[in-house]
């Protein structure tokens, strides 16, 4: 029994050094291990061939390939082919010849067999004669397809033959020593060598490397022992110490937890210096993003015990560095100011202590380069190139210079649409093309046109339409011709619409909010609308539409996957307004009751001058029809200067979609109102209404909402017109008609700024000679009407009590702009004007305020803080007023 050893030390990482070490170890350390095993003499005879193809070709090819494979094994010595051919002259390949050839060649084994061609299949049968034992070993076979498979057949037969004739070359067993933390099964998974396979020096070297690369060991040694059953391989490993402690020192500007989260290793892991290096790079990136580009990060490794390791990161943060100057080189058509306006990266500004201005973020700068490239390409510079920025540092700050090669500017030449025809007339499509509205070549406009034409095809049922823009550059006149080629393909219909992920929300609730149905003509517009509808439901964190080909080219399957979010909510909040003063608010709601899409809400507002309790139930699809309905029970009280108002009642609303986003609503309200605790000094008008009254009313509303967001809309409009009729045939003790119209329009501006203008007008008419209820009159003032003012409207000329008006007009103009982008905080500047009157509309008597505010959809709910300044202050009025509202989700 002999053995030899292969070893890798901790410093032997390089593969070349490893191979040299293996060779030297084999030659100098254990020369006996190489010479101890005598080679096995094998005689390989030509196989007998049964085929329609030329037998000599198949016989020779198989012999040469099989001989080449057996010669790869160092411990096998083949009888020379020339000698075999001489001895086999005039001999047949029968068993007697095989036995005789074993004696004549002095071989230990004789390998022979047959090759049979059956159609395209080749079958090779092998038999081996053991000369020493004087017997044939059990036969076996291999198959292939065609003569080209002979080489793979030979490779397969090599292992089978060696297992039969060279038992000592097989791997009898593989074991591991020294691995206390890493299980042997885990090490076995990275090995090429397996028990029962043929031993290979190269495979063993690969195995040693693979174990070492796991990173858990300082040393890996392979002991190979030859036994009667074969080779026994024992891998002896020396485990690395584990990291028991990670310390971070010197960090003041970054939280330790943030740095720890960036590390690519943890405690109880083996020391890996590559991971330490990558961790330093990640920490450096954290400091770079905070503006500390000169931060210095080093590490040391300390050993506590034989196996315990402490890694210490030492950080020297140095001063924060800001961008002092951004400049451009080669820009001739555009000024620096214009190019800087396109970039997210910016120079140090006045508010850099509160914002990210002046911080260099490499990812943002890369995106800025792409923006500048796109800007030039979209403005006719088809050969423009914006190069990599040159970044330099000094004690004062950072300097960025961006090289630009503009080239010549090209205008739009001929524009046309070719290819398949659509139902939409080509002249109408040409009129919608964005590229025709441009003077200069615009790549962005071409992309928009491709989307336009593709969507037109999709909406006509051609789901797999292809729109290709062909451009021809005319260097002489500096123009580019643009030809859109349409290949519409087959008409496609929706086949199967499947839903997944909705564990609570019922399928029908989702399906009634999508605009597509199985069997409908394919429409990408309806797909997009369906996505928007599902997101507006607020039941889902994620909505994903996947459209794929159905059973054939005329059908498309749609898979809708949703990720539900909690729809039950307990909310609390506080607020202050000119009208309601300080107040506390709380509500408990479930917006998807039992997965049916119903809403149940209990709300309470308690303040210094008012209380309000409301229980409501909303059914968006009454009787499984698209009838929106809501039912309310409420009880409220409010204190005024000269009286108290107590109201309780019941209300119901029914809505139905009339056209696109146009909704029609019908409502009924029955309210019991008590004007109580009226002071003797109160207005005669108020004293006359003391006591309980009953209001039975119906309302009719048309409403349309096309905005893109509920809290921060940037485009679209909200419009509503309402007529409320009380008394008459409806009964009750009051009788009046109330007309109200509201409108709000939102316009997106550059730099994520939005301008909006809102208007509302109201008119209240008395019926049947009955006085108008004081609680139905119009009053203005507060955070939703005239910010900075309160209690605006007609007053009793004798007592000065606020009695409200029968007409009202109010306008609000706002400019909403980003304040702190990363936090989602917006700033607002506003101008309000409006008033209420006893009758008519008096534009010369409109109160005016202006001011600023902050809006933030904070983690604790929507926040509004606004300060209004009165532009036309009257005697006794405060010059300004501060108001806020905030809600908190729990």
């Amino acid at each position: 029994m002999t053995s030899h050893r292969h070893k890798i030390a901790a410093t032997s990482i390089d593969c070349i050094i490893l191979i040299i070490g293996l060779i030297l170890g084999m030659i100098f350390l254990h020369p006996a291990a190489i010479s101890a095993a005598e080679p096995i003499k094998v005689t390989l005879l030509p196989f007998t061939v049964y085929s329609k193809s030329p037998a000599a070709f198949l016989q020779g090819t198989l012999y040469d390939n099989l001989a080449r494979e057996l010669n790869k094994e160092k411990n096998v010595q083949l009888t020379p082919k020339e000698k075999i051919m001489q001895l086999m002259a005039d001999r047949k390949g029968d068993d007697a010849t095989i036995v005789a050839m074993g004696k004549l060649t002095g071989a230990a084994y004789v390998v022979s067999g047959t090759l049979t061609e059956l159609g395209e299949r080749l079958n090779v049968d092998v038999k081996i004669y053991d000369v020493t034992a004087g017997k044939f070993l059990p036969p076996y076979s291999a198959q292939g397809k065609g003569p080209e498979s002979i080489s793979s057949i030979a490779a397969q037969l090599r292992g089978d033959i060696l297992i039969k004739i060279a038992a000592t070359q097989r791997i009898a067993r593989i074991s591991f020593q020294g691995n206390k933390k890493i299980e042997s099964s885990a090490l076995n998974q990275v090995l090429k060598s397996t028990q029962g396979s043929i031993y290979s020096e190269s495979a063993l070297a690969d195995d040693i490397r693979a174990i070492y690369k796991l990173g858990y060991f300082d040393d890996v040694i392979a002991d190979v022992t030859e036994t009667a059953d074969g080779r026994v391989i024992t891998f002896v490993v020396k485990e690395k110490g584990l990291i028991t402690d990670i310390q971070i020192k010197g960090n003041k500007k970054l939280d330790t937890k943030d740095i720890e989260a960036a590390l690519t290793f943890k405690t109880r892991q083996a020391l890996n210096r590559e991971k330490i290096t990558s961790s330093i790079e990640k920490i450096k990136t954290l400091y770079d993003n905070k503006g500390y580009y000169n931060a210095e990060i080093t590490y040391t490794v300390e050993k506590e015990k034989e196996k315990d390791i402490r890694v210490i990161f030492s950080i020297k943060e140095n001063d924060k560095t800001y961008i002092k100057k951004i400049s451009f080189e080669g820009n001739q058509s555009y000024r620096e100011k214009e190019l800087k306006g396109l970039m997210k990266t910016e120079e140090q500004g006045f508010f850099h202590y509160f914002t990210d201005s002046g911080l260099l973020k490499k990812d943002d700068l890369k995106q800025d380069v792409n923006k500048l490239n796109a800007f030039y390409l979209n403005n006719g510079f088809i050969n423009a190139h914006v190069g990599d920025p040159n970044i330099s540092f000094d004690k004062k700050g950072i300097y960025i210079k961006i090289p630009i090669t503009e080239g010549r500017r090209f205008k739009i030449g001929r524009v046309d649409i070719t290819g398949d025809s659509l139902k939409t007339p080509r002249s109408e499509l040409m009129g919608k093309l964005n590229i025709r509205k441009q003077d200069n070549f615009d790549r962005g406009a071409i992309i928009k046109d491709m989307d336009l034409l593709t969507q037109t095809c999709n909406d006509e049922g051609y789901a797999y339409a292809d729109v290709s823009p062909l451009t021809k550059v005319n260097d002489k006149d500096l123009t580019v011709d643009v030809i859109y080629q349409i290949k519409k393909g087959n008409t496609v219909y929706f086949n199967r619409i499947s839903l997944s992920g909705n564990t609570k929300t019922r399928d029908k609730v989702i399906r009634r909010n999508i605009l597509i149905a199985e069997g409908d003509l394919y429409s990408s517009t309806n797909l997009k609308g369906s996505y928007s509808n599902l997101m507006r439901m607020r039941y889902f964190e994620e909505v994903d539409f996947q459209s794929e080909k159905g059973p054939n080219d005329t059908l498309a399957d749609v898979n809708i996957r949703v990720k539900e979010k909690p729809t039950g909510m307990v909310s609390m909040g506080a607020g202050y307004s000119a009208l309601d003063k300080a107040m506390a608010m709380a509500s408990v709601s479930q917006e998807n009751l039992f997965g049916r899409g119903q809403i149940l809400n209990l709300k309470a507002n308690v303040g210094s001058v008012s209380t309000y309790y409301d229980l409501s139930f909303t059914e968006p699809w009454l009787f499984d029809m698209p009838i929106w309905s809501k039912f309310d029970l409420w009880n409220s009280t409010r204190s005024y200067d000269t009286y108290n108002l107590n109201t309780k009642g019941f209300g119901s609303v029914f809505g139905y979609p009339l056209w696109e986003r146009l909704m029609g609503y019908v409502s009924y309200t029955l309210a019991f109102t008590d004007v109580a605790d009226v002071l003797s000094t109160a207005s005669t008008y108020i004293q006359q209404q003391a006591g309980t009254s009953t209001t039975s009313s119906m309302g009719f509303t048309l409403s349309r909402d096309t905005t893109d967001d509920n809290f921060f809309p940037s485009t679209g409009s909200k419009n509503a017109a309402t007529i409320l009729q009380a008394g008459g045939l409806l009964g009750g003790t009051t009788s009046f008609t109330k007309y109200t119209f509201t409108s709000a329009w939102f316009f997106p501006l550059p730099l994520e700024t939005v301008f909006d203008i809102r208007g509302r007008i109201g008119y209240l008419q008395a019926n049947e000679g009955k006085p108008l209820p004081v609680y139905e009159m119009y009053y203005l003032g507060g955070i939703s009407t005239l910010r900075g003012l309160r209690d605006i409207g007609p007053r009793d000329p004798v007592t000065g009590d606020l009695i409200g008006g029968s007409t009202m007009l109010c306008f609000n103009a706002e400019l909403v702009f980003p304040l702190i982008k990363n936090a989602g905080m917006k700033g607002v500047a506003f101008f309000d004007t409006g008033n209420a009157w006893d009758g008519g509309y008096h534009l010369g008597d409109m109160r005016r305020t202006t001011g600023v505010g902050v809006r933030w959809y904070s983690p604790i709910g929507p926040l509004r803080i606004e300060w209004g300044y009165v532009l036309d202050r009257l005697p006794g009025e405060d010059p300004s007023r501060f108001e806020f509202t905030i809600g908190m989700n729990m």
Side-chain angles (χ1 to χ4, degrees):
M1 182 175 68
T2 62
S3 67
H4 54 279
R5 170 174 287 188
H6 297 306
K7 176 179 179 180
I8 283 186
T11 57
S12 305
I13 300 175
D14 189 270
C15 295
I16 297 176
I17 297 176
L18 172 65
I19 297 172
I20 294 173
L22 292 175
I23 296 173
L24 293 176
M26 291 295 294
I27 296 175
F28 295 107
L29 295 178
H30 302 283
I34 300 175
S35 59
E38 291 292 334
I40 302 170
K41 294 183 179 180
V42 177
T43 294
L44 176 63
L45 300 182
F47 281 40
T48 303
V49 176
Y50 302 99
S51 72
K52 295 181 180 179
S53 304
F57 169 76
L58 295 176
Q59 185 185 64
T61 302
L62 178 60
Y63 186 95
D64 293 341
N65 278 276
L66 192 52
R68 187 182 304 112
E69 291 293 333
L70 293 175
N71 277 324
K72 292 179 181 179
E73 180 56 47
K74 297 178 181 179
N75 288 338
V76 171
Q77 181 181 338
L78 286 181
T79 304
K81 181 178 180 180
E82 295 78 10
K83 184 175 181 179
I84 296 298
M85 294 306 157
Q86 291 177 358
L87 295 174
M88 283 292 293
D90 300 327
R91 290 178 182 267
K92 298 180 180 180
D94 53 9
D95 290 350
T97 300
I98 294 171
V99 174
M101 291 297 294
K103 294 178 180 180
L104 289 172
T105 58
Y109 297 93
V110 180
V111 178
S112 184
T114 61
L115 185 155
T116 306
E117 185 180 34
L118 300 171
E120 294 184 353
R121 303 287 302 175
L122 295 181
N123 187 78
V124 178
D125 295 301
V126 178
K127 53 185 176 180
I128 300 175
Y129 177 65
D130 185 341
V131 178
T132 304
K135 65 178 182 179
F136 283 92
L137 303 179
Y140 50 89
S141 62
Q143 291 79 35
K145 185 176 181 180
E148 62 274 9
S149 66
I150 289 179
S151 61
S152 61
I153 293 174
Q156 177 184 338
L157 292 175
R158 171 183 177 271
D160 295 333
I161 294 171
L162 291 176
I163 289 175
K164 297 285 186 181
I165 68 176
T168 58
Q169 300 302 310
R170 289 179 295 174
I171 298 175
R173 188 172 68 258
I174 298 175
S175 62
F176 302 90
Q177 291 181 6
N179 55 312
K180 297 178 181 179
K181 304 181 184 70
I182 309 301
E183 295 182 357
S184 297
S185 58
L187 299 179
N188 249 321
Q189 292 180 359
V190 302
L191 300 183
K192 287 185 177 180
S193 304
T194 58
Q195 183 175 337
S197 65
I198 297 300
Y199 172 80
S200 168
E201 296 273 352
S202 61
L204 182 63
D206 290 341
D207 292 340
I208 293 173
R209 279 194 291 270
I211 294 174
Y212 186 77
K213 284 183 177 180
L214 290 174
Y216 301 125
F217 309 107
D218 283 327
D219 198 18
V220 181
I221 298 171
D223 276 332
V224 182
T225 305
E226 296 178 6
T227 68
D229 296 329
R231 304 285 180 97
V232 176
I233 302 175
T234 303
F235 292 99
V236 182
V237 297
K238 182 180 179 182
E239 289 184 332
K240 290 182 177 181
L242 292 183
I243 299 172
T244 57
D245 187 25
I246 301 173
Q247 294 184 3
I248 299 170
K249 297 181 178 180
N251 58 303
K252 297 179 181 179
K253 303 301 181 181
L254 286 183
D255 192 271
T256 300
K257 292 182 179 179
D258 294 334
I259 296 176
E260 289 175 343
L263 300 181
T264 57
F265 65 94
K266 300 178 181 179
T267 56
R268 311 307 302 169
Q269 291 183 352
L271 180 68
N272 186 318
R273 296 185 185 269
E274 291 182 1
K275 289 187 176 181
I276 294 178
T277 302
S278 66
S279 295
I280 289 177
E281 292 175 357
K282 289 184 176 293
I283 297 172
K284 187 69 170 66
T285 300
L286 290 179
Y287 273 100
D288 287 351
N289 289 338
K290 292 291 185 179
Y292 295 91
Y293 306 103
N294 296 321
E296 301 172 35
I297 304 157
T298 58
Y299 79 96
T300 55
V301 177
E302 296 179 355
K303 286 191 176 181
E304 288 188 331
K305 301 176 183 178
E306 183 181 352
K307 294 292 184 181
D308 292 343
I309 295 174
R310 178 188 294 116
V311 178
I312 303 172
F313 289 97
S314 299
I315 300 173
K316 186 178 180 182
E317 294 177 330
N318 295 317
D319 292 333
K320 207 170 198 178
T321 310
Y322 292 93
I323 300 172
K324 289 293 183 183
K325 179 67 176 175
I326 299 175
S327 60
F328 302 88
E329 186 177 41
N331 57 306
Q332 298 177 357
S333 302
Y334 298 100
R335 295 176 299 167
E336 283 194 355
K337 183 179 180 181
E338 190 170 359
L339 297 177
K340 288 179 184 178
L342 301 170
M343 300 173 62
K344 188 174 182 180
T345 305
E346 54 187 350
E347 296 167 352
Q348 179 182 359
F350 183 77
F351 295 102
H352 66 274
Y353 290 108
F354 308 101
T355 67
D356 285 344
S357 69
L359 293 183
L360 173 59
K361 296 182 179 181
K362 300 291 182 64
D363 290 340
D364 288 349
L365 187 56
K366 287 181 180 178
Q367 293 178 13
D368 289 336
V369 170
N370 293 334
K371 287 181 185 177
L372 292 172
N373 258 316
F375 175 74
Y376 272 99
L377 292 174
N378 293 343
N379 283 277
F381 297 93
I382 64 175
N383 298 315
H385 174 70
V386 180
D388 293 331
N390 180 23
I391 304 173
S392 58
F393 300 80
D394 64 17
K395 294 181 179 180
K396 294 182 179 180
I398 304 169
Y399 303 86
I400 301 173
K401 179 176 287 186
I402 302 176
I404 298 175
T405 303
E406 291 184 346
R408 295 184 298 175
R409 174 178 277 180
F410 286 75
K411 293 185 174 296
I412 293 297
R414 185 173 70 93
V415 178
D416 199 1
I417 299 175
T418 62
D420 296 335
S421 298
L422 301 173
K423 294 179 182 177
T424 305
R426 188 156 294 181
S427 58
E428 182 178 335
L429 293 177
M430 288 289 292
K432 294 180 179 180
L433 292 180
N434 290 276
I435 197 67
R436 297 187 67 193
K437 303 173 185 177
Q438 311 297 321
D439 292 329
N440 301 311
F441 179 80
D442 187 341
R443 187 184 62 172
I446 291 178
I447 294 174
K448 291 180 182 178
D449 289 341
M450 290 175 63
D451 291 340
L452 168 71
L453 296 175
T454 301
Q455 181 166 323
T456 303
C457 293
N458 292 162
D459 289 345
E460 293 188 12
Y462 305 105
Y464 310 119
D466 178 61
V467 178
S468 303
L470 305 177
T471 58
K472 180 183 178 183
V473 178
N474 306 306
D475 290 318
K476 289 185 178 180
D477 56 2
L478 296 180
T479 60
V480 180
D481 297 337
V482 181
I483 311 297
Y484 298 101
Q485 189 174 42
I486 296 177
K487 294 180 180 179
K488 62 186 182 183
N490 295 325
T491 304
V492 178
Y493 295 85
F494 289 116
N495 178 45
R496 183 174 57 88
I497 301 173
S498 61
L499 306 175
S500 63
N502 53 316
T503 56
K504 178 183 177 181
T505 307
R506 303 192 178 194
D507 280 10
K508 71 175 184 179
V509 174
I510 296 177
R511 289 185 181 274
R512 70 194 185 195
N513 281 280
I514 61 178
L515 307 178
I516 59 175
E518 293 168 348
D520 286 354
L521 191 67
Y522 186 93
S523 170
S524 63
T525 297
N526 288 344
L527 279 173
K528 293 176 182 177
S530 299
Y531 173 83
S532 298
N533 286 353
L534 294 187
M535 291 301 294
R536 279 174 171 266
M537 292 171 71
R538 296 183 296 179
Y539 301 163
F540 312 113
E541 289 182 15
E542 299 175 7
V543 176
D544 180 44
F545 277 66
Q546 293 291 335
S547 180
E548 56 187 33
K549 287 187 177 181
N552 56 57
D553 290 340
T554 64
L555 298 174
D557 293 335
V558 178
N559 301 315
I560 304 174
R561 183 189 63 82
V562 298
K563 182 179 179 182
E564 292 181 316
K565 65 180 180 181
T567 52
M569 183 171 63
V570 177
S571 67
M572 299 180 64
Y576 178 86
S577 70
L579 185 62
D580 295 316
K581 302 294 181 67
M583 70 187 76
M585 299 164 283
S587 70
V588 180
S589 66
Q590 173 54 258
E591 295 188 351
N592 189 12
L593 190 64
F594 307 122
R596 298 175 180 269
Q598 300 162 336
I599 302 172
L600 183 64
N601 185 38
L602 175 61
K603 180 168 59 176
N605 292 351
V606 179
S608 57
V609 298
S610 66
T611 60
Y612 177 74
Y613 302 97
D614 178 80
L615 175 65
S616 66
F617 173 77
T618 303
E619 169 57 81
W621 277 63
L622 190 63
F623 308 124
D624 282 333
M625 299 175 64
I627 301 174
W628 185 90
S629 58
K630 185 179 181 181
F631 306 90
D632 285 274
L633 286 171
W634 75 86
N635 190 336
S636 70
T637 63
R638 178 182 292 276
S639 296
Y640 293 92
D641 292 339
T642 57
Y643 67 97
N644 292 328
L645 187 68
N646 304 315
T647 304
K648 57 185 176 182
F650 162 81
S652 61
V653 184
F654 300 90
Y656 189 82
L658 302 177
W659 176 72
E660 290 187 355
R661 295 189 183 182
L662 179 65
M663 291 286 293
Y665 296 93
V666 177
S667 64
Y668 175 76
T669 303
L670 179 63
F672 304 93
T673 305
D674 182 19
V675 178
D677 304 322
V678 180
L679 298 180
S680 59
T681 57
S683 166
T684 303
Y685 171 65
I686 295 174
Q687 291 184 19
Q688 291 174 348
Q689 299 199 33
T692 302
S693 61
T694 302
T695 300
S696 177
S697 63
M698 288 192 69
F700 305 90
T701 300
L702 286 177
S703 174
R704 189 166 188 260
D705 183 354
T706 62
T707 58
D708 58 345
D709 187 85
N710 287 330
F711 194 68
F712 284 133
S714 61
T715 185
S717 64
K718 295 181 180 180
N719 297 279
T722 300
I723 299 176
L724 182 69
Q725 176 64 48
L729 297 176
L730 298 173
T733 60
T734 62
S735 182
F736 60 87
T737 305
K738 197 172 191 177
Y739 306 89
T740 307
F741 176 74
T742 63
S743 182
W745 295 79
F746 301 87
F747 306 93
L749 301 176
L751 304 178
E752 300 181 31
T753 302
V754 177
F755 174 75
D756 68 80
I757 185 168
R758 307 163 190 257
R760 68 203 84 181
I761 186 172
Y763 173 67
L764 187 60
Q765 173 184 318
N767 297 330
E768 302 179 18
K770 296 181 179 181
L772 292 172
V774 64
Y775 48 83
E776 291 290 345
M777 304 297 279
Y778 291 113
Y779 313 88
L780 297 185
I783 199 167
S784 60
T785 56
L786 292 177
R787 287 158 283 192
L789 286 169
R790 59 163 294 184
D791 298 341
I792 300 302
R795 295 179 177 271
D796 188 290
V798 177
T799 65
D801 288 344
L802 181 70
I803 57 176
S806 60
T807 58
M808 175 271 296
L809 184 62
C810 182
F811 296 100
N812 311 97
E814 295 180 335
L815 185 67
V816 182
F817 52 90
L819 193 60
I820 301 178
K821 291 183 181 180
N822 293 343
M825 187 177 292
K826 306 274 188 178
V828 58
F830 62 82
F831 172 79
D832 299 337
T833 183
N835 210 337
W837 303 277
D838 289 328
Y841 299 93
H842 309 281
L843 299 181
D845 185 27
M846 300 276 281
R847 301 299 307 274
R848 301 185 305 278
T849 66
T850 187
V852 294
V854 174
R855 293 176 186 174
W856 182 31
Y857 204 95
S858 71
I860 59 173
L863 166 71
R864 287 182 66 182
I865 302 175
E866 295 179 8
W867 172 83
Y869 178 77
V870 182
L871 296 174
D872 52 359
R873 183 160 60 103
L874 300 179
E877 287 184 338
D878 293 330
S880 63
R881 190 174 294 275
F882 168 85
E883 299 178 273
F884 79 91
T885 60
I886 186 171
M888 180 174 65
N889 295 331
M890 301 181 60

